[in-house]
């Protein structure tokens, strides 16, 4: 199954329903490191499913942010 990729902090913020500064902060804190597919210094490409996974496994003392729910995928047997 192909993964969904997002190009750039602004596009990721829009997909998650948060401010771009929030994505930048998460990136600086290292919370999105496992979700980065490529980082050329100018362009960052994220794996959206990995982003959700990274953000769902945050420490308990971290502030919680309400995110848009990931799109449901139809599963066929």
């Amino acid at each position: 199954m192909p993964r969904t990729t997002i190009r750039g902090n602004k596009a990721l913020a829009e997909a998650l329903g948060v401010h771009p500064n929030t994505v930048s902060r998460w990136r600086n804190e290292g919370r999105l490191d496992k979700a980065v597919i490529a980082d050329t210094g100018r362009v960052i490409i994220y794996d959206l499913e990995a982003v959700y996974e990274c953000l769902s496994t945050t420490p308990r003392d971290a502030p919680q942010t309400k995110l848009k729910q990931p799109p449901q995928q139809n599963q066929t047997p």
Side-chain angles (χ1 to χ4, degrees):
M1 174 167 62
R3 58 183 161 188
T4 303
T5 58
I6 301 285
R7 183 174 180 238
N9 288 346
K10 186 176 179 181
L12 180 60
E14 189 175 301
L16 298 176
V18 298
H19 195 277
N21 290 350
T22 302
V23 173
S24 294
R25 181 171 41 85
W26 289 339
R27 178 86 165 106
N28 292 337
E29 292 171 354
R31 292 173 64 181
L32 300 177
D33 287 350
K34 292 182 181 178
V36 174
I37 295 172
D39 182 355
T40 65
R42 294 189 68 160
V43 176
I44 300 172
I45 300 175
Y46 296 99
D47 177 345
L48 186 58
E49 291 176 17
V51 168
Y52 280 113
E53 186 176 314
C54 289
L55 296 177
S56 69
T57 58
T58 57
R60 288 181 177 244
D61 59 346
Q64 298 299 313
T65 305
K66 287 197 167 212
L67 303 175
K68 287 183 181 177
Q69 294 299 315
Q72 297 295 324
Q73 295 181 358
N74 295 334
Q75 295 185 3
T76 55

